[in-house]
Amino acid sequence: MGRKAFVGGNWKMNTQRESATALATAVAKATEKASRDVEVVVFPPFPYLLPVGDAIGPRVRLGAQDAYTEASGAFTGEVSVAMLADCGATHALTGHSERRHVLGESDTLVGAKTRAVLDGGLTCVVCVGETLEQREAGETDTVNERQTRAALEGVSAEGMARVVIAYEPVWAIGTGRTASPADAQQAHAALRALLAKLYDDKVAAATRIIYGGSVKGANAAELFGQPDIDGGLIGGASLDAEEFGAIVTAAAKKVH
Ligand code: 13P
């Protein structure tokens, strides 16, 4: 099928200018020998996009953790896709669970942001995932479907070439509690089946679906070994260049 593995480092609201630059330099070094078959992207906080972009070298790409829907205007505190591109970002996250559940972003807003990111020419990593309560109620696939449908509303089959879906169960984020490879695989397979329904088999087979939630060097290979898990979105472990490098190496071993 030839899906290129994808590993993203979501630094969240961590680092400062000096430590961000140092981490970027260390990530460049830790990943330089990894196969080019893995796409590696770091997502630093907005203020450090420029220095991090200067420090990551040619192998690692630059991403933003969020983006606003509008191109410019009276939107105090927001950052447009054009501004992100101007700072060298080639990727942006939308719908991260912290934005949904801490900042209160709706499915509709996530959809509008996703369209804005794609219209602005960037690759969009669309995050979806259920809470613990929803999982325990057996609603995992329903929640993933609802969030994915809303996020991809108005996105064409051609547009899907620049979409990566990140399945991040909320209960696994920052908790040290990883989804079992089998549970994650099940959710990924359901998401891929949904893409086949929303688009067609070709789009479903070509779209990267990555897993996020307490991924570490020690559990990455087993997760990435699942047929529908095409890499990971890494939080805590992405702040340690060596650990992040080990995760990228695990992704490089993935054969589709
Ligand atoms: P952790 O890897 O810290 O669990 O975070 C996952 C995540 O939210 C990545 O976007």
Side-chain angles (χ1 to χ4, degrees):
M1 274 181 282
R3 288 190 298 271
K4 186 173 186 167
F6 183 107
V7 177
N10 176 8
W11 296 0
K12 307 192 179 183
M13 200 172 72
N14 292 296
T15 69
Q16 293 217 323
R17 186 167 46 173
E18 242 183 75
S19 52
T21 310
L23 179 57
T25 307
V27 165
K29 196 156 181 285
T31 57
E32 69 185 346
K33 293 204 179 70
S35 161
R36 294 308 193 254
D37 292 341
V38 186
E39 191 172 348
V40 182
V41 187
V42 290
F43 297 84
F46 286 149
Y48 308 129
L49 281 166
L50 284 171
V52 167
D54 285 340
I56 48 176
R59 196 261 175 276
V60 179
R61 311 298 293 277
L62 187 66
Q65 296 175 16
D66 187 33
Y68 196 54
T69 54
E70 304 302 319
S72 64
F75 302 103
T76 302
E78 294 300 329
V79 177
S80 75
V81 177
M83 291 170 183
L84 298 171
D86 194 28
C87 291
T90 51
H91 294 67
L93 305 180
T94 57
H96 191 279
S97 81
E98 286 142 22
R99 299 213 59 88
R100 291 179 189 269
H101 298 292
V102 183
L103 284 308
E105 287 196 5
S106 66
D107 286 345
T108 312
L109 181 58
V110 174
K113 287 184 170 187
T114 301
R115 287 190 295 280
V117 168
L118 295 173
D119 289 347
L122 272 61
T123 293
C124 192
V125 180
V126 177
C127 307
V128 300
E130 84 286 4
T131 62
L132 184 58
E133 204 183 6
Q134 290 165 333
R135 168 158 286 259
E136 284 171 350
E139 293 168 1
T140 299
D141 292 342
T142 323
V143 170
N144 285 342
E145 171 162 352
R146 192 196 72 229
Q147 293 182 348
T148 305
R149 276 182 183 273
L152 298 181
E153 207 182 302
V155 177
S156 66
E158 292 71 43
M160 286 302 291
R162 280 188 288 109
V163 169
V164 175
I165 309 275
Y167 168 59
E168 300 204 302
V170 179
W171 48 272
I173 296 177
T175 57
R177 190 178 159 195
T178 319
S180 71
D183 281 350
Q185 163 58 27
Q186 206 169 30
H188 283 231
L191 281 165
R192 204 174 297 289
L194 174 64
L195 294 179
K197 205 157 70 173
L198 294 178
Y199 297 94
D200 54 30
D201 288 346
K202 210 169 135 214
V203 168
T207 305
R208 274 88 57 85
I209 306 178
I210 62 175
Y211 168 81
S214 298
V215 179
K216 304 183 263 300
N219 60 22
E222 205 189 346
L223 285 160
F224 301 165
Q226 301 297 312
D228 287 297
I229 302 184
D230 304 313
L233 188 57
I234 320 303
S238 73
L239 299 172
D240 178 325
E242 249 175 70
E243 189 76 16
F244 187 66
I247 295 167
V248 170
T249 304
K253 296 206 178 97
K254 182 167 177 72
V255 180
H256 286 284

